[in-house]
């Protein structure tokens, strides 16, 4: 997976291979370095351009570093810029040579032109060479006090750069305090904004190790600062406005008057030309009014128009990002968007991903009043040139039908699809008709008349074929030639590649047999024979099962295969409402675009460096009961190590498991982070409860040992075997005063804690256990959020067979803790 | 915050790389991305936001050039996309269009621009007027100047005054010999007409463009005769909110040059200026097609650049189409385009002919969608009317001008 490293990249034939040209350049630069003749700047400029263009193509031109630095003594600003760019690119890998540049950069920092001062300061910060930080402190300090706002603005970001190179130098120079002062007093809004983003990042990281920084971070979302920023909001650039709005969304106003004040102040931001500002404002409004149901609804009404305008105004890429957010809102409150369905109609030349989102929304907003028009529109897409969209729209029609609006008309439409005689249309429609019949058996009469005319030869897709076969079996008594159609299919048994279809065929022929025995007997015989010699295990087993069943008793077989069925009332939804809620909490983030909460798609590789470090502070590692404070520095080192190389696999796996709180942790409110669970079966858990079948008794080793390194290794290697979620009972919440209480309790059940972390209300614990007889390990990650009374458990096992048994054991241990 | 920006050519070559933070992003990410986009049947189908094994990628494509940004931390997605769009706009504005050559020729300018637009991953200034003050565009005038004066720097010597002024979109000391300001209503009509000929959706997305060349710090007020027809509006940051809220007046201090003052949407229009009537009938392997075009509601101005375009269904093996007015072209990708130009007064343009279907296909079940283009100068079809434009705080009287035009946006007729 790892792409080739940069150095291995072979330049394309048209590009110079580099070596000869680079040494040429070196010579020429050397000649120019000392020259003071007029016109030198022009020739320098040409050479510099060449160097930069080689650099851009990907040729290594670091060998001319010293010549470039020698040539940098110039008053020409373009030359300077090119030189800064070059130096910034190579200094990190040539720290010794970088020292050469310090001199001229420091001199430029004192230039009389503020633009040069700013550029030099920016480049100085971009060198990122740890042993040169001492040279950075002076110019930064001066830059923060510079009379020109451009320089101050650069300096504020420079402080952040310094912090990432050497946090201690930055803190020792007391830069954060300076930044705070600037943030609160600077007349230039961009300086304020840069100070704010720098401080957010610095204090965000420091908060974990220093109480003072944690307080400062809290202070950023205190009323005076929030109000100070809000009052200046119009001075900020559009991007800075996004930063401020994001910060404000973390602020919880104490009363509703304040909420209304903030919303009044920001209402015009909804009309900003920049979509990012509009979306940040919308997020803020939604967050502010979460607890005020009626106002929340008004907010929906208010944000509808700006969102729809954004969708139609921007490029397809912007439209997509906005539509994803609109999608989320529509799914939360479809009825509020019911009158706007026309905006969701697909345009012919929109990309597939946009159309797909629109189709899903159209499906969601359908209600009694607009179903007819929406279905009419969807039917137009079914005849569309674009086949994937045609399929999606047929599915959408089916979904609307299942919502039981105007089923009558829709069934007619679906049946019309079948008459179109396009294979993909027929295939999609068959699947839908099957689902419809399962929910509305009363329509069987109309459907069967049409289905009966479909020749199974025209249906190739396994899902559609299976659907057709199911209907043939289920409605054998109403379809004249069902036994013969099935017989034809059984004759082609050998050519049927999909096991799903063969399974359905077996069942269908059984059903048919009990309804029309004389006509089906022969077909059943050959089907069972074919099934028994089938290579596919499931098909073979089912054939054998039916065969024995028939041998045992025909009437029992009949009641097994043809029981009286209840119409399906609701088909299972793919996403739980909790997950949807969680995505909503992460509004205006990537989660919305992926339609998953962040913990589901971020893994170690994607973990942001800042969230990473923040996470570490809350964690302590304990081996058995000996709790050892994690060495922050070590962990930080491994973090930076990860960013250096693409092969971060060597990384501490313990960190991996921290992903749950992931990058968004930086902004998403901690309280809502954890939802999932497993605590006990009594929970209102939407996940399938473990099978009631008694599992073999599992004995755990009371003195199991596992060192943290191998735990990390195993955790990384093993797949998640069980993952469950649920609610914690009030007693459980009360008992959970600290992570230790649970750790001690679990030890009583021979489940040992290897690491735990967090403070109320958020805890994260890692457990392990071993089988008594053999060294087979069970690993558990357990995330508890007391404020939402939710918990989430992930179990990984080495022996998959014991997975269920262990899962049950773990749950019962937890329920004894008083959590159920 | 973004960590790196790449510009890729239409063959996937990295034309430019701008590292923004200390966490260097390796170029190999571009190779990964390019493999991804090649593995998709149509390159435009790649999602604007995707996750690679190491980074989240934002991408937009403009004129064949891919703007790719990488990040490892969660951030508002629209911020990434919106920023890339601005970068593309600014570059296209500076370089007079976007293509591989122009970027390779001017990569120093591109670096300079990116340097001012984003620092350490946080977007700073994307306002073209301010950037223009900091970095001179490589236009002919500045080239001429440099030849004449011998001064080859394309960077202004001073910092733009606006960076410290309270109207950040405007430089403080502007002087024009001729003071003039033009207001232009540019509207796009998005329409869907379904297969029964029913007008399903018809709305206008419009922009008020202002081209201002005024000295000093002028204060402008623009009013509409019928602001109530506007469904939703978006403003340039220079527009003051309160006058709009209370009296529907656009009060603003304009940036210099061309800018979008406001964009708006007008829903539920009842009429389209032209009609397009496709008719199809299939019979034993061939399909007769005829399309008629004509004026439905005369907008009072000339309807120009009328065109009809559609995709021939896959099952069509050949097509023979002729028109009594304009030219019909069938491209290799089975796109058929009929350019009509101006609709003549005496006859209704018609295109007709037969489509021969592939063997075994009796009837045409897949119906093409006809995309219609037109342009009307001098009329805003939404009906929006400018009442007047007041100029205040001007040293000398200025010339004012107003224009309007409407084009077809997504205007489609289904058959």
């Amino acid at each position: 997976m790892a792409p080739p490293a940069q150095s291995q990249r072979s330049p394309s034939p048209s590009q110079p291979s580099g070596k000869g040209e680079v040494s040429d350049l070196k010579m020429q630069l050397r000649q120019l370095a000392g020259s003071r003749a007029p016109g030198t700047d022009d020739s320098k400029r040409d050479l510099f351009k060449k160097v930069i263009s080689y650099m851009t193509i990907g040729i290594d031109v670091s060998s001319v570093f010293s010549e470039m630095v020698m040539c940098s003594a110039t008053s020409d600003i373009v030359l300077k810029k090119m030189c800064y760019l070059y130096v910034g690119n190579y200094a990190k890998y040539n720290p010794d040579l970088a020292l050469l540049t310090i001199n001229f950069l420091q001199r430029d920092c004192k230039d009389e032109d503020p633009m040069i001062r700013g550029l030099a300061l920016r480049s100085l910060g971009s060198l990122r060479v740890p042993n040169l930080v001492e040279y950075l402190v002076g110019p930064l300090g001066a830059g923060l006090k510079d009379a020109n706002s451009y320089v101050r603005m650069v300096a504020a970001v420079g402080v952040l750069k310094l912090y990432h190179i050497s946090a201690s130098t930055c803190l020792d120079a007391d830069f954060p305090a300076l930044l705070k002062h600037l943030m609160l007093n600077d007349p230039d809004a961009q300086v304020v904004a840069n100070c704010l983003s720098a401080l957010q990042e610095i204090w965000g990281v420091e908060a974990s190790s220093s109480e003072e920084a944690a307080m400062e971070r809290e202070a950023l979302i205190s009323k005076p600062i929030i109000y100070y920023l809000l009052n200046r909001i119009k001075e900020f650039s559009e991007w800075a406005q996004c930063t401020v709005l994001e910060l404000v969304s973390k602020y919880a106003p104490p009363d509703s008057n304040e909420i209304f004040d903030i919303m009044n102040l920001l209402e015009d931001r909804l009309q900003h030309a920049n979509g990012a500002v509009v979306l940040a404002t919308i997020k803020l409004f939604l967050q502010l009014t979460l607890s005020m149901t009626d106002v929340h609804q008004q907010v929906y009404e208010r944000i509808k128009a700006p969102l729809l305008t954004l969708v139609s105004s921007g490029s397809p890429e912007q439209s997509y990002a906005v539509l994803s957010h609109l999608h989320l809102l529509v799914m939360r409150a479809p009825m509020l968007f019911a009158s706007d369905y026309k905006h969701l109609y697909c345009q012919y030349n929109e990309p597939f991903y946009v159309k797909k989102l629109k189709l899903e929304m159209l499906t969601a907003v359908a209600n009694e009043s607009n179903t007819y028009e929406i279905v009419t529109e969807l039917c137009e897409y079914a005849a569309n040139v674009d086949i994937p969209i045609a399929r999606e729209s047929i599915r959408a029609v089916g979904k609307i039908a299942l919502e039981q609006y105007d089923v009558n008309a829709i069934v007619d439409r679906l049946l019309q699809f079948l008459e179109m005689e396009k294979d993909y249309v027929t295939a999609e429609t068959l699947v839908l008709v099957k689902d419809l019949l399962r929910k509305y058996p009363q329509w069987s009469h109309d459907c069967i008349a049409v289905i009966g005319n479909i020749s199974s030869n025209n249906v190739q897709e396994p899902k559609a074929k299976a659907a057709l076969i199911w209907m043939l079996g289920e409605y054998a008594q109403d379809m004249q030639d069902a036994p013969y159609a099935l017989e034809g299919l059984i004759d082609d048994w050998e050519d049927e590649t999909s096991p799903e279809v063969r399974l359905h065929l077996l069942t269908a022929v059984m059903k048919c047999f009990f309804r029309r025995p004389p006509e089906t007997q022969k077909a059943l015989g050959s089907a069972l024979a074919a099934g028994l010699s089938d290579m596919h295990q499931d098909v073979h087993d089912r054939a054998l099962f039916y065969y024995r069943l028939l041998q045992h008793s025909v009437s029992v077989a009949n009641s097994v295969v043809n029981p009286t069925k209840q119409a399906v009332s609701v088909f299972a939804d793919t996403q739980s409402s909790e997950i949807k809620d969680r995505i909503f909490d992460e509004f205006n983030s990537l989660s919305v675009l992926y339609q998953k909460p962040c913990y589901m798609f971020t893994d170690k590789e994607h973990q942001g460096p800042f969230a990473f470090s923040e996470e570490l502070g809350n964690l302590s590692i304990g081996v058995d009961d000996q709790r050892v404070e994690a060495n922050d520095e070590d962990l930080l080192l491994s973090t930076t190590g990860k960013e250096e190389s693409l092969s971060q696999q060597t990384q501490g796996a313990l960190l991996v498991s921290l992903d749950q709180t992931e990058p968004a942790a930086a902004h998403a409110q901690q309280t809502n982070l954890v939802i999932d669970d497993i605590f006990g079966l009594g929970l209102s858990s939407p996940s399938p409860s473990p099978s009631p079948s008694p599992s073999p008794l599992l004995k755990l080793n009371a003195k199991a040992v596992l060192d943290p390194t191998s735990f990390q290794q195993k955790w990384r290697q093993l797949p998640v075997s069980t993952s469950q979620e649920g609610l914690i009972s009030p007693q459980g919440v009360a008992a959970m005063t600290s992570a230790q209480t649970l750790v001690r309790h679990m030890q009583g059940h021979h489940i040992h804690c290897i690491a735990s972390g967090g403070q109320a209300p958020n805890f994260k614990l890692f457990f392990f256990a071993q089988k008594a007889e053999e060294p087979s390990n069970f690993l558990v990650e357990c995330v508890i959020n007391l404020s939402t009374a939710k918990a989430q458990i992930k179990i990984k096992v080495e022996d998959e067979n014991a997975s269920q048994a262990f899962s049950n054991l773990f749950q019962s241990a937890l329920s004894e803790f008083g959590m159920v | 915050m973004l960590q790196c920006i790449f510009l890729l050519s239409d063959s996937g070559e990295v034309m430019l790389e701008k590292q923004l933070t200390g966490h260097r992003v390796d170029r190999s990410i571009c190779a990964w991305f390019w493999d991804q986009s090649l593995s998709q049947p149509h390159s435009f189908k790649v999602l604007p936001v995707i996750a690679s094994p190491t980074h989240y990628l934002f991408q937009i494509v403009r004129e064949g050039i891919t703007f790719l940004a990488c990040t490892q931390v969660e951030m508002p997605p629209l911020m990434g996309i919106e920023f890339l769009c601005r970068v593309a706009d600014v570059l296209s504005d500076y370089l007079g269009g976007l293509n591989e050559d122009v970027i390779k020729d001017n990569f120093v300018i591109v670096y300079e621009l990116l340097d001012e637009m984003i620092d350490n991953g946080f977007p700073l200034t994307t306002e073209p007027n301010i950037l223009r003050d900091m970095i001179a565009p490589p236009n002919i005038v500045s080239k001429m100047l440099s030849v004449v004066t011998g001064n080859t720097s394309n960077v202004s010597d001073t910092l733009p005054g606006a960076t410290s002024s309270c109207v950040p979109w405007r430089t403080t000391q502007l002087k024009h010999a001729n003071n003039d300001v033009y207001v232009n209503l540019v509207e796009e009509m998005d329409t869907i007409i379904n297969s029964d000929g029913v007008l399903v959706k018809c709305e206008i997305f419009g922009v008020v463009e202002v081209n201002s060349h005024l000295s000093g710090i002028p204060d402008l007020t623009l009013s509409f005769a019928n602001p109530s027809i506007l469904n939703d509006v978006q403003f340039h940051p220079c527009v003051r909110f309160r006058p709009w809220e209370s009296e529907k007046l656009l009060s603003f201090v304009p940036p210099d040059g061309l800018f979008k003052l406001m964009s708006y949407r007008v829903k539920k229009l009842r009429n389209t200026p032209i009609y397009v009537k496709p008719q199809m009938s299939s019979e034993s392997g061939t399909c007769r097609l005829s399309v008629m075009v004509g004026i439905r509601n005369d907008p009072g101005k000339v309807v120009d650049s009328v065109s009809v375009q559609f995709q021939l269904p896959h099952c069509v093996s050949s097509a023979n189409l002729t028109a009594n007015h304009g030219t019909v072209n069938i491209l290799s990708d089975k796109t058929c385009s009929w350019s009509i130009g101006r609709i003549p007064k005496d006859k209704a343009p018609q295109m007709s002919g037969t489509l021969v279907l592939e063997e075994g296909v009796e009837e045409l079940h897949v119906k093409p969608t006809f995309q219609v283009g037109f342009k009307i100068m001098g009329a805003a079809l939404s009906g929006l009317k400018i009442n007047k434009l007041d100029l205040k705080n001007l040293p000398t009287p200025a010339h004012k001008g107003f224009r309007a035009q409407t084009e077809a946006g997504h205007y489609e007729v289904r058959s």
Side-chain angles (χ1 to χ4, degrees), chain A residues 588-747:
Chain A
N588 200 17
S589 74
L590 294 169
S591 317
V592 181
L593 271 72
Y594 294 132
Q595 297 187 9
K596 296 174 192 161
C598 52
Y599 76 89
M600 288 173 97
F601 63 85
T602 37
D603 51 24
K604 177 187 63 177
E605 278 103 322
H606 297 153
Q607 179 98 50
F610 311 115
F612 228 126
S613 329
E614 185 171 79
E615 193 55 45
L616 297 169
N618 302 329
L619 182 86
S620 57
I621 294 182
V623 182
D624 284 348
D625 254 355
Q626 282 183 316
R627 289 162 60 85
V628 183
E629 281 301 308
N631 184 332
D632 263 353
E633 222 165 276
D634 281 354
L635 291 167
L636 277 173
L637 270 181
S638 60
T639 314
T640 36
K642 158 206 173 253
E643 284 131 25
E644 302 287 343
S645 68
L646 280 174
S647 58
Q648 307 112 328
Q649 303 307 331
T650 50
Q651 261 274 124
L654 199 54
L655 302 180
V656 183
S657 47
L658 294 176
D659 295 346
Q660 265 61 354
T661 16
E662 85 92 289
H667 16 108
Q669 328 84 314
Q670 293 275 3
T671 46
N672 287 336
L673 273 179
V674 183
I675 289 179
D676 311 18
D677 103 303
I678 180 185
F679 280 99
L681 305 177
L683 322 184
S684 56
S685 155
S687 52
S689 45
S691 75
S693 64
S695 42
L697 212 57
L698 183 74
K699 281 219 172 90
L700 295 177
N701 180 0
K703 290 179 182 149
V705 200
L706 189 65
D707 64 290
T709 339
S710 41
F711 180 91
Q712 292 179 17
Q713 216 166 15
K714 288 183 203 301
W715 185 262
R716 195 171 60 228
Q717 285 161 353
L718 294 169
V720 177
S721 120
T722 317
S723 176
Q724 278 168 296
E725 55 182 64
L727 299 169
I728 311 169
S729 70
Q731 299 93 299
V733 175
M736 190 75 189
T737 48
S738 84
Q740 279 310 302
T741 52
L742 183 62
V743 169
R744 261 177 240 124
H745 169 81
M746 294 308 279
Q747 214 159 27

